[in-house]
Amino acid sequence: MRINIVGPGNMGRAIAARALTGGHGVCLVHPEAQRGRAAAAELKQRFPDGETDSATAAQASDMTVPALPYDATPEVAGSARATLSGQVVVDIRNPVDFATMDSRRQPSVG
């Protein structure tokens, strides 16, 4: 299976590591090309036999995991709607206030 992981932060890299352990290919997606390449290179060192690359936008894949802050996921998913069509999208959002780590954020209403 080929998995896009949008947001190669702590959660994105952890999910990528689990996917690579399971024999799946991963593409780490970040709008800043260097950040995606750096995360992919880090994982390639840990999993030299794994299929790892990076991109600046979501690509055709079997699955996409947006590993983004709570409020960013709907906007990013909406802008990539055509690319995500037909894919499994796994939403891992958690409405945590990162400033305090103990309060729940209220979802934005738009």
mmCIF file of all heavy atoms in Angstrom, residues 26-47:
data_model
loop_
_atom_site.group_PDB
_atom_site.id
_atom_site.type_symbol
_atom_site.label_atom_id
_atom_site.label_comp_id
_atom_site.label_asym_id
_atom_site.label_seq_id
_atom_site.Cartn_x
_atom_site.Cartn_y
_atom_site.Cartn_z
ATOM 1 N N VAL A 26 5.685 5.061 1.950
ATOM 2 C CA VAL A 26 5.148 6.317 2.464
ATOM 3 C C VAL A 26 5.696 7.498 1.670
ATOM 4 O O VAL A 26 6.823 7.475 1.179
ATOM 5 C CB VAL A 26 5.449 6.531 3.972
ATOM 6 C CG1 VAL A 26 4.797 5.460 4.813
ATOM 7 C CG2 VAL A 26 6.923 6.607 4.252
ATOM 8 N N CYS A 27 4.857 8.509 1.556
ATOM 9 C CA CYS A 27 5.254 9.788 0.981
ATOM 10 C C CYS A 27 4.933 10.848 2.022
ATOM 11 O O CYS A 27 3.770 11.009 2.414
ATOM 12 C CB CYS A 27 4.502 10.063 -0.317
ATOM 13 S SG CYS A 27 4.955 11.649 -1.057
ATOM 14 N N LEU A 28 5.945 11.539 2.508
ATOM 15 C CA LEU A 28 5.761 12.599 3.499
ATOM 16 C C LEU A 28 5.515 13.898 2.762
ATOM 17 O O LEU A 28 6.343 14.340 1.972
ATOM 18 C CB LEU A 28 6.995 12.686 4.398
ATOM 19 C CG LEU A 28 7.242 11.407 5.194
ATOM 20 C CD1 LEU A 28 8.628 11.408 5.785
ATOM 21 C CD2 LEU A 28 6.201 11.226 6.263
ATOM 22 N N VAL A 29 4.368 14.495 3.020
ATOM 23 C CA VAL A 29 3.927 15.673 2.287
ATOM 24 C C VAL A 29 4.028 16.904 3.181
ATOM 25 O O VAL A 29 3.490 16.914 4.298
ATOM 26 C CB VAL A 29 2.473 15.496 1.795
ATOM 27 C CG1 VAL A 29 2.008 16.713 1.021
ATOM 28 C CG2 VAL A 29 2.336 14.224 0.954
ATOM 29 N N HIS A 30 4.713 17.925 2.678
ATOM 30 C CA HIS A 30 4.811 19.196 3.386
ATOM 31 C C HIS A 30 4.963 20.294 2.337
ATOM 32 O O HIS A 30 5.692 20.101 1.367
ATOM 33 C CB HIS A 30 6.009 19.201 4.341
ATOM 34 C CG HIS A 30 5.951 20.315 5.330
ATOM 35 N ND1 HIS A 30 6.302 21.607 4.997
ATOM 36 C CD2 HIS A 30 5.563 20.339 6.610
ATOM 37 C CE1 HIS A 30 6.134 22.377 6.052
ATOM 38 N NE2 HIS A 30 5.687 21.638 7.047
ATOM 39 N N PRO A 31 4.287 21.438 2.499
ATOM 40 C CA PRO A 31 4.405 22.499 1.495
ATOM 41 C C PRO A 31 5.812 23.071 1.378
ATOM 42 O O PRO A 31 6.169 23.627 0.350
ATOM 43 C CB PRO A 31 3.407 23.563 1.948
ATOM 44 C CG PRO A 31 3.112 23.258 3.376
ATOM 45 C CD PRO A 31 3.370 21.795 3.575
ATOM 46 N N GLU A 32 6.620 22.922 2.426
ATOM 47 C CA GLU A 32 8.018 23.336 2.365
ATOM 48 C C GLU A 32 8.833 22.097 2.007
ATOM 49 O O GLU A 32 9.018 21.197 2.830
ATOM 50 C CB GLU A 32 8.474 23.904 3.705
ATOM 51 C CG GLU A 32 7.741 25.174 4.097
ATOM 52 C CD GLU A 32 8.117 25.635 5.485
ATOM 53 O OE1 GLU A 32 9.190 25.252 5.995
ATOM 54 O OE2 GLU A 32 7.314 26.377 6.081
ATOM 55 N N ALA A 33 9.302 22.039 0.761
ATOM 56 C CA ALA A 33 9.965 20.849 0.240
ATOM 57 C C ALA A 33 11.078 20.348 1.147
ATOM 58 O O ALA A 33 11.221 19.133 1.363
ATOM 59 C CB ALA A 33 10.494 21.123 -1.164
ATOM 60 N N GLN A 34 11.888 21.250 1.699
ATOM 61 C CA GLN A 34 13.028 20.830 2.521
ATOM 62 C C GLN A 34 12.586 20.085 3.771
ATOM 63 O O GLN A 34 13.226 19.118 4.178
ATOM 64 C CB GLN A 34 13.899 22.039 2.890
ATOM 65 C CG GLN A 34 15.132 21.677 3.690
ATOM 66 C CD GLN A 34 15.997 20.601 3.016
ATOM 67 O OE1 GLN A 34 16.116 20.543 1.796
ATOM 68 N NE2 GLN A 34 16.579 19.735 3.815
ATOM 69 N N ARG A 35 11.494 20.504 4.383
ATOM 70 C CA ARG A 35 11.025 19.810 5.596
ATOM 71 C C ARG A 35 10.570 18.396 5.272
ATOM 72 O O ARG A 35 10.836 17.460 6.021
ATOM 73 C CB ARG A 35 9.909 20.606 6.262
ATOM 74 C CG ARG A 35 10.447 21.864 6.921
ATOM 75 C CD ARG A 35 9.413 22.628 7.663
ATOM 76 N NE ARG A 35 8.975 21.896 8.845
ATOM 77 C CZ ARG A 35 8.032 22.321 9.659
ATOM 78 N NH1 ARG A 35 7.422 23.465 9.428
ATOM 79 N NH2 ARG A 35 7.674 21.614 10.706
ATOM 80 N N GLY A 36 9.890 18.218 4.151
ATOM 81 C CA GLY A 36 9.478 16.881 3.740
ATOM 82 C C GLY A 36 10.668 16.003 3.403
ATOM 83 O O GLY A 36 10.726 14.835 3.799
ATOM 84 N N ARG A 37 11.643 16.565 2.680
ATOM 85 C CA ARG A 37 12.841 15.791 2.327
ATOM 86 C C ARG A 37 13.631 15.395 3.571
ATOM 87 O O ARG A 37 14.147 14.276 3.660
ATOM 88 C CB ARG A 37 13.729 16.590 1.377
ATOM 89 C CG ARG A 37 13.216 16.593 -0.050
ATOM 90 C CD ARG A 37 14.269 17.106 -1.018
ATOM 91 N NE ARG A 37 14.661 18.482 -0.764
ATOM 92 C CZ ARG A 37 14.122 19.549 -1.339
ATOM 93 N NH1 ARG A 37 13.148 19.401 -2.215
ATOM 94 N NH2 ARG A 37 14.548 20.755 -1.047
ATOM 95 N N ALA A 38 13.733 16.299 4.540
ATOM 96 C CA ALA A 38 14.479 15.995 5.767
ATOM 97 C C ALA A 38 13.812 14.857 6.542
ATOM 98 O O ALA A 38 14.501 13.947 7.023
ATOM 99 C CB ALA A 38 14.597 17.243 6.644
ATOM 100 N N ALA A 39 12.500 14.895 6.653
ATOM 101 C CA ALA A 39 11.786 13.827 7.359
ATOM 102 C C ALA A 39 11.919 12.510 6.608
ATOM 103 O O ALA A 39 12.127 11.449 7.223
ATOM 104 C CB ALA A 39 10.320 14.204 7.535
ATOM 105 N N ALA A 40 11.834 12.547 5.280
ATOM 106 C CA ALA A 40 11.982 11.330 4.477
ATOM 107 C C ALA A 40 13.392 10.757 4.627
ATOM 108 O O ALA A 40 13.570 9.540 4.755
ATOM 109 C CB ALA A 40 11.667 11.614 3.016
ATOM 110 N N ALA A 41 14.400 11.620 4.636
ATOM 111 C CA ALA A 41 15.785 11.163 4.786
ATOM 112 C C ALA A 41 16.000 10.517 6.156
ATOM 113 O O ALA A 41 16.683 9.488 6.271
ATOM 114 C CB ALA A 41 16.751 12.326 4.590
ATOM 115 N N GLU A 42 15.415 11.109 7.192
ATOM 116 C CA GLU A 42 15.517 10.544 8.537
ATOM 117 C C GLU A 42 14.922 9.132 8.565
ATOM 118 O O GLU A 42 15.531 8.198 9.106
ATOM 119 C CB GLU A 42 14.776 11.435 9.534
ATOM 120 C CG GLU A 42 14.652 10.858 10.921
ATOM 121 C CD GLU A 42 13.650 11.623 11.769
ATOM 122 O OE1 GLU A 42 13.629 12.863 11.715
ATOM 123 O OE2 GLU A 42 12.882 10.949 12.473
ATOM 124 N N LEU A 43 13.749 8.970 7.961
ATOM 125 C CA LEU A 43 13.111 7.656 7.951
ATOM 126 C C LEU A 43 13.871 6.664 7.080
ATOM 127 O O LEU A 43 13.934 5.475 7.387
ATOM 128 C CB LEU A 43 11.661 7.775 7.490
ATOM 129 C CG LEU A 43 10.728 8.377 8.538
ATOM 130 C CD1 LEU A 43 9.396 8.745 7.923
ATOM 131 C CD2 LEU A 43 10.533 7.406 9.690
ATOM 132 N N LYS A 44 14.454 7.150 5.997
ATOM 133 C CA LYS A 44 15.223 6.272 5.111
ATOM 134 C C LYS A 44 16.433 5.697 5.849
ATOM 135 O O LYS A 44 16.810 4.549 5.627
ATOM 136 C CB LYS A 44 15.664 7.038 3.860
ATOM 137 C CG LYS A 44 16.216 6.170 2.785
ATOM 138 C CD LYS A 44 15.138 5.247 2.255
ATOM 139 C CE LYS A 44 15.629 4.474 1.057
ATOM 140 N NZ LYS A 44 14.721 3.409 0.683
ATOM 141 N N GLN A 45 17.029 6.476 6.750
ATOM 142 C CA GLN A 45 18.149 5.966 7.555
ATOM 143 C C GLN A 45 17.680 4.866 8.500
ATOM 144 O O GLN A 45 18.377 3.876 8.706
ATOM 145 C CB GLN A 45 18.798 7.088 8.343
ATOM 146 C CG GLN A 45 19.637 8.011 7.495
ATOM 147 C CD GLN A 45 20.330 9.067 8.340
ATOM 148 O OE1 GLN A 45 19.926 9.356 9.461
ATOM 149 N NE2 GLN A 45 21.384 9.642 7.796
ATOM 150 N N ARG A 46 16.510 5.057 9.084
ATOM 151 C CA ARG A 46 15.975 4.072 10.028
ATOM 152 C C ARG A 46 15.434 2.836 9.329
ATOM 153 O O ARG A 46 15.455 1.744 9.895
ATOM 154 C CB ARG A 46 14.869 4.702 10.874
ATOM 155 C CG ARG A 46 15.392 5.744 11.844
ATOM 156 C CD ARG A 46 14.285 6.437 12.618
ATOM 157 N NE ARG A 46 13.394 5.511 13.279
ATOM 158 C CZ ARG A 46 12.141 5.832 13.631
ATOM 159 N NH1 ARG A 46 11.655 7.029 13.388
ATOM 160 N NH2 ARG A 46 11.385 4.940 14.233
ATOM 161 N N PHE A 47 14.893 3.022 8.120
ATOM 162 C CA PHE A 47 14.272 1.932 7.359
ATOM 163 C C PHE A 47 14.862 1.912 5.951
ATOM 164 O O PHE A 47 14.200 2.291 4.985
ATOM 165 C CB PHE A 47 12.753 2.121 7.296
ATOM 166 C CG PHE A 47 12.094 2.199 8.638
ATOM 167 C CD1 PHE A 47 11.862 3.429 9.245
ATOM 168 C CD2 PHE A 47 11.713 1.043 9.311
ATOM 169 C CE1 PHE A 47 11.262 3.506 10.491
ATOM 170 C CE2 PHE A 47 11.115 1.112 10.559
ATOM 171 C CZ PHE A 47 10.894 2.337 11.151
#
